[in-house]
Amino acid sequence: MSARIAPGGQIAVVAPCGAFDPARLAQGLTVARAHGLDVVELPDLLRPHRYLASPDEQRAAQLMEALSSDRWAAVWIVRGGYGLTRILDRIDPAKVRPKPIIGFSDVTALFAALHPHGKGPLVHGPMPHSLPSTDEASTEALFALLAGEPPAPMSGETWAPGEASGPLVGGNLCLLAALCGTPWQLDVAGTVLVLEEVGEPPYRIDRLLQQLVSAGGLRGVAAVAVGEMTNPAPEGADWTLRDVVMDHLGPLGVPVVAGLPIGHGARNRPFVWGTRAHVGDGELRFSPVVG
């Protein structure tokens, strides 16, 4: 499924997650406009409620307006943080129009809710709030993807050997774990699953992965593609974060490639959920996008 945005198409910028820095958002939108995108902020996006961009009612209503209206050629989430799991039950997939939806982090929850209904394209990639700190390669890759160009392979390292293919899904580990036991728990059978995380120490990575395993959240996965995971093992430890992760992924008996440029750091290469992907030889490769 192509994530191409038709030239001249307007992109709705919405904030269904955490509170944001208006100056940082303005910087990101300036970058987008410099690349020829017509980005339009929905009105009154920032009415901070605790740690959220606005109260639940407003965030849900604005997100549904953007997703369901034919006025918008695409929807771009301002930033992640927290908030989407509070309003997933107010999102009606039947009313979501076909269009690219762009985001990552907390947006993993929205993608997991929409993917089973064939909505999207769902573009896991930089958001306006993160663009000012995103590296040039990832920024250019995002705008190329939105112009209809196919994604380039991503290089990493092999943590478990083998080769496998399947539709690519996934994103933030914490959100995938948080969806376990809910109507939006992601079915990963036959897929290549992306996992990335930020700010969680190794014992919490351990706990999140154990939650996925215990809830059947890794059952039937074809391969795992690990992006950036910050907070390595303490200095002097006789174990590594890789050891922690592979405690859970190793017994799956599937190929694992890690160290991919996907995550909350400067490197955040975009990908489209459902794109046919192949793991092998320390790489994540993509089949040609059709449509």
Side-chain angles (χ1 to χ4, degrees):
M1 184 184 294
S2 172
R4 179 178 181 269
I5 299 173
Q10 288 191 315
I11 302 171
V13 177
V14 294
C17 308
F20 58 88
D21 177 355
R24 191 174 177 86
L25 171 59
Q27 281 184 278
L29 295 181
T30 296
V31 174
R33 291 179 178 122
H35 284 78
L37 296 185
D38 186 0
V39 286
V40 180
E41 298 172 67
L42 267 65
D44 198 23
L45 283 182
L46 188 61
R47 291 175 49 209
H49 175 67
R50 301 174 188 158
Y51 27 76
L52 304 167
S54 64
D56 289 351
E57 294 77 11
Q58 174 172 318
R59 298 194 332 279
Q62 288 192 323
L63 179 58
M64 272 308 303
E65 192 282 326
L67 293 174
S68 62
S69 172
D70 286 330
R71 172 185 174 184
W72 307 111
V75 177
W76 206 354
I77 310 299
V78 169
R79 64 155 294 186
Y82 172 69
L84 268 165
T85 52
R86 290 179 60 100
I87 61 173
L88 283 183
D89 59 351
R90 308 184 193 204
I91 305 304
D92 183 355
K95 296 181 180 179
V96 176
R97 304 294 299 157
K99 65 185 73 180
I101 306 165
I102 311 154
F104 74 107
S105 187
D106 196 46
V107 186
T108 301
L110 178 64
F111 287 179
L114 295 180
H115 179 66
H117 301 276
K119 303 302 179 177
L122 308 173
V123 181
H124 183 286
M127 297 178 281
H129 205 263
S130 67
L131 274 179
S133 58
T134 301
D135 69 13
E136 183 178 0
S138 301
T139 300
E140 294 302 321
L142 174 65
F143 293 121
L145 188 70
L146 298 180
E149 296 181 24
M154 301 184 198
S155 295
E157 59 184 75
T158 298
W159 280 10
E163 298 196 9
S165 299
L168 192 63
V169 299
N172 185 253
L173 170 60
C174 185
L175 267 298
L176 293 171
L179 294 176
C180 288
T182 74
W184 307 285
Q185 178 170 338
L186 186 62
D187 180 1
V188 302
T191 70
V192 174
L193 177 65
V194 173
L195 297 175
E196 63 84 22
E197 192 49 82
V198 61
E200 299 286 3
Y203 81 91
R204 292 186 182 177
I205 297 289
D206 190 340
R207 183 167 61 198
L208 292 167
L209 287 167
Q210 182 60 57
Q211 184 174 358
L212 278 183
V213 171
S214 298
L218 296 176
R219 187 177 297 125
V221 71
V224 180
V226 181
E228 292 190 348
M229 289 194 175
T230 58
N231 290 10
E235 187 175 349
D238 61 356
W239 51 273
T240 66
L241 184 59
R242 173 176 175 170
D243 295 327
V244 173
V245 172
M246 291 308 293
D247 274 353
H248 301 282
L249 301 187
L252 300 176
V254 302
V256 178
V257 61
L260 296 169
I262 299 171
H264 281 70
R267 304 187 314 153
N268 190 16
R269 302 290 179 85
F271 66 86
V272 180
W273 274 49
T275 298
R276 187 81 179 170
H278 181 83
V279 166
D281 298 323
E283 280 194 331
L284 178 65
R285 300 189 297 274
F286 305 94
S287 298
V289 175
V290 178

